[in-house]
Amino acid sequence: MDFFKNLADSFVKEVVDPTVSFAEDSARTVAREVVDPTVSFAEDSARTVVREVVDPTVAFVEDSAKTVVREVVDPTVAFVEDSAKTVVREVVDPTVAFVEDSARTVVREVIDPAVAFIETQFQRPRDVIEQEKILDNLLASNGSRFPGDDYHSPDRKNWMSHLSCEKLTLNKIVWPGTHDSATNGIGIDVVTRPLGECQTLSIYEQLVRGTRLLDVRVQEDRYICHGILASYNVDFAIDDVIRFLSETHSEIIILEIRTEYGHKDPPEFESYLTNKLGQFLIHQDDNLFNKSLSEILPKRVICIWKPRESPRPSRGGLLWNSDYLKDNWIDTDLPWTKFQSNMNHLKDQPSISSRRFFYRVENTLTPQADNVVVWVRPVTDRIRRYARLFVSRCIAEGCIDKLQIFSTDFIDEDFVDACVGLTYARINGRI
C-alpha cells in the first residue's frame, strides 16, 4: 500500500504539478499575448467606431433634425399660426361681428317692436277703460246740462228758419258738423268699409237731419275718398247739397272741400265748384261774421276750398280759403286725451264776437294702426256720447263763447239738438 501511495505522490509531483504549472503559464501567456491585445484591439476599434462612425452619425442626425425643425417644422408652424390668425381676423371675427350686428338688428327691428306692439295691445284697452271712467265720473259729478239743452227744433231740416233770422248772426251759430261727411258706402262692404266709413247717411240725409257743416275730401279723379279708400264721384255730394238747398229757404251751409292728404288736386276744381254752386255761393267777406241771416240770404253756401298744390282761392272771391276754417286735430283713439285737447285748444281761441274765421272742434277719435281695434265705429263711439258733457264743461270752464263748429262721426238727432239748443240760448241772451 505504501508502494502505491508513494507511486501516486511521485506521479503528482513529477507529472501533474508540472502539467498544471505549464497550463497556468500557458494560460497567462495566452491572456497576455492573445486575449489582452485582442480586448485592447476591440476596445480601440469600438472607440474608433464611436468616434468615426457613431458620433458623426449622431451629429448628422441632430443637425438634420435641427435643419428639419428650422426649415420645415418652424415655417410650417408659423404658416399654420399665421393662417389661423388670418382666418380669425378675416372670417371668424367678421362672422361673429355680423352675427352680433344681425342679432342686434333683429332685436331692434323685430323683437322690440313686437314686444312693444304686444304690450300696447294689453295696455290700450286698459287706457281706454281708465279714460272712459274719468269722463263718466265727470259726467256724474258735473252733469250735461246747459242753457238751451232742452230745446228741440220742430223741424231739424229747417232749424235755422225756426230761429229769428234777424237775431241769428253768423258768429252766434253753433254749427253741427260731420267729420268725413261723404264716406257712406266707401270701400268694400264688411271688408274695408268699417276702416273708413265715418257716416252712414248720405249728404242729403245729413243735411235733413240738421247738419250744417260738411267735410268732403276728394282725390285727383274727383272721387270722394278717405285715405286710400274711395266711394263715389263728388257730383253726388254736390247734387245732394243742391237738392237740399232747393227744398229749403233759410238754411246756410258751410261746405269744406279739400284734397285728401297724399293725393293730388282735381284739375280745374275751383272752376267746377263755382260753376256748380255759383248761384248759392256767399262771397268771402271778413265783415260777414257779424251779419244776420236776413242780411246774407238768399246766398246759402260758404264754400271753403283747400287744395294741396293748386293756388288758394283769392280774397273776396266766391270761394273761401283755408284761413277761414281752422281746427287742432289730434291723432288719438283715447277719449279723455281728445276731450282735454279739444278743451285746451278751444280756450286758446278768440271769442266768436271778435273772430274772423270759423273754428272747429271735432268730437271724434281716430283708430290707430298699432291697435287691434281699427274700425271707426267702435273707436269713435268712445267719445261720441260725451258731446253734451263737452258743451257743459265749456260753460264751466268759461270758454262757451268760443265754441262755434262742433263736428262728429255718425251724426244723430241728439247731437244736432245740442248744437241747435245752444244756438237758441245764445240768440235769446241766456249765454
Side-chain angles (χ1 to χ4, degrees):
M1 289 294 293
D2 291 335
F3 171 78
F4 285 107
K5 183 178 179 298
N6 291 331
L7 182 60
D9 290 339
S10 178
F11 181 79
V12 168
K13 179 171 79 238
E14 294 181 6
V15 175
V16 175
D17 287 345
T19 301
V20 169
S21 177
F22 174 79
E24 290 176 345
D25 289 341
S26 296
R28 282 192 290 273
T29 299
V30 169
R32 184 178 64 250
E33 296 181 2
V34 177
V35 175
D36 288 347
T38 300
V39 169
S40 178
F41 173 76
E43 290 176 342
D44 290 342
S45 297
R47 282 191 290 271
T48 300
V49 169
V50 168
R51 184 178 64 253
E52 296 182 3
V53 178
V54 175
D55 286 348
T57 300
V58 169
F60 173 76
V61 171
E62 289 177 343
D63 288 343
S64 297
K66 291 175 182 175
T67 300
V68 169
V69 168
R70 184 177 65 253
E71 298 183 1
V72 178
V73 176
D74 287 349
T76 301
V77 170
F79 172 76
V80 170
E81 290 177 343
D82 289 343
S83 298
K85 291 175 183 175
T86 300
V87 169
V88 169
R89 185 178 64 252
E90 298 183 1
V91 178
V92 176
D93 287 349
T95 301
V96 169
F98 173 76
V99 171
E100 290 176 342
D101 288 344
S102 298
R104 283 192 289 268
T105 299
V106 168
V107 169
R108 184 177 65 251
E109 298 183 3
V110 179
I111 296 176
D112 286 350
V115 170
F117 175 79
I118 293 170
E119 289 176 345
T120 299
Q121 304 318 300
F122 287 101
Q123 184 59 41
R124 189 65 59 82
R126 291 194 290 266
D127 291 342
V128 170
I129 292 171
E130 180 180 342
Q131 294 207 3
E132 287 180 327
K133 186 176 180 180
I134 293 172
L135 288 167
D136 286 336
N137 290 338
L138 188 61
L139 182 60
S141 62
N142 182 84
S144 59
R145 302 301 302 272
F146 53 86
D149 68 333
D150 56 350
Y151 176 81
H152 301 282
S153 174
D155 178 9
R156 293 186 184 91
K157 183 177 180 180
N158 293 281
W159 65 262
M160 287 185 178
S161 66
H162 286 281
L163 302 176
S164 171
C165 291
E166 288 73 28
K167 294 168 66 175
L168 183 59
T169 57
L170 208 63
N171 58 12
K172 288 184 178 179
I173 299 172
V174 180
W175 304 77
T178 51
H179 167 250
D180 265 304
S181 305
T183 52
N184 59 304
I186 200 167
I188 302 171
D189 189 20
V190 180
V191 182
T192 58
R193 186 167 300 164
L195 302 174
E197 187 178 59
C198 299
Q199 308 294 332
T200 55
L201 302 176
S202 69
I203 293 294
Y204 174 77
E205 290 168 332
Q206 292 173 44
L207 292 169
V208 169
R209 185 161 293 191
T211 301
R212 292 298 178 266
L213 177 132
L214 299 169
D215 163 20
V216 177
R217 308 179 189 190
V218 295
Q219 57 191 24
E220 188 176 13
D221 60 3
R222 293 188 182 177
Y223 270 74
I224 304 293
C225 60
H226 183 189
I228 62 172
L229 301 178
S231 57
Y232 42 77
N233 193 287
V234 71
D235 275 339
F236 289 98
I238 301 299
D239 289 344
D240 271 3
V241 170
I242 294 172
R243 176 187 173 188
F244 174 78
L245 293 172
S246 68
E247 295 174 358
T248 57
H249 303 287
S250 303
E251 307 304 303
I252 292 181
I253 299 169
I254 299 176
L255 173 61
E256 176 198 23
I257 300 189
R258 53 176 149 164
T259 303
E260 178 68 305
Y261 178 79
H263 293 275
K264 294 182 178 179
D265 298 328
E268 301 178 0
F269 199 65
E270 185 170 341
S271 297
Y272 163 81
L273 291 173
T274 55
N275 289 335
K276 290 281 286 186
L277 296 168
Q279 62 176 313
F280 301 106
L281 292 176
I282 301 170
H283 283 70
Q284 180 272 310
D285 181 1
D286 286 357
N287 298 316
L288 190 72
F289 295 93
N290 291 317
K291 290 183 178 181
S292 65
L293 263 61
S294 59
E295 296 177 272
I296 298 171
L297 296 172
K299 301 298 184 180
R300 312 272 301 284
V301 178
I302 297 171
C303 185
I304 300 172
W305 164 227
K306 296 182 177 180
R308 291 200 173 272
E309 300 166 333
S310 307
R312 303 193 321 162
S314 57
R315 291 178 62 83
L318 285 173
L319 303 183
W320 299 53
N321 62 44
S322 58
D323 291 340
Y324 291 96
L325 178 56
K326 301 179 182 181
D327 52 38
N328 287 282
W329 180 74
I330 176 175
D331 187 9
T332 182
D333 61 355
L334 298 175
W336 175 239
T337 299
K338 183 61 174 284
F339 194 96
Q340 284 183 303
S341 175
N342 284 342
M343 186 66 68
N344 292 336
H345 284 299
L346 183 63
K347 289 178 180 178
D348 290 337
Q349 304 308 312
S351 169
I352 54 174
S353 61
S354 61
R355 190 185 297 161
R356 292 296 178 265
F357 60 88
F358 296 101
Y359 184 77
R360 171 172 50 198
V361 173
E362 294 192 290
N363 193 55
T364 61
L365 290 176
T366 309
Q368 301 299 299
D370 65 348
N371 195 251
V372 172
V373 184
V374 293
W375 288 11
V376 173
R377 187 64 183 247
V379 171
T380 199
D381 277 351
R382 297 169 186 169
I383 198 171
R384 285 178 68 243
R385 64 181 182 272
Y386 300 111
R388 286 181 177 266
L389 173 63
F390 185 82
V391 175
S392 68
R393 289 307 303 166
C394 286
I395 294 174
E397 298 191 27
C399 58
I400 193 63
D401 63 325
K402 300 179 179 183
L403 184 60
Q404 187 175 40
I405 296 173
F406 201 25
S407 290
T408 186
D409 290 319
F410 307 105
I411 195 165
D412 56 28
E413 290 86 352
D414 186 68
F415 186 88
V416 172
D417 287 348
C419 295
V420 175
L422 188 60
T423 304
Y424 175 80
R426 273 184 178 168
I427 65 173
N428 286 285
R430 295 174 59 188
I431 297 179

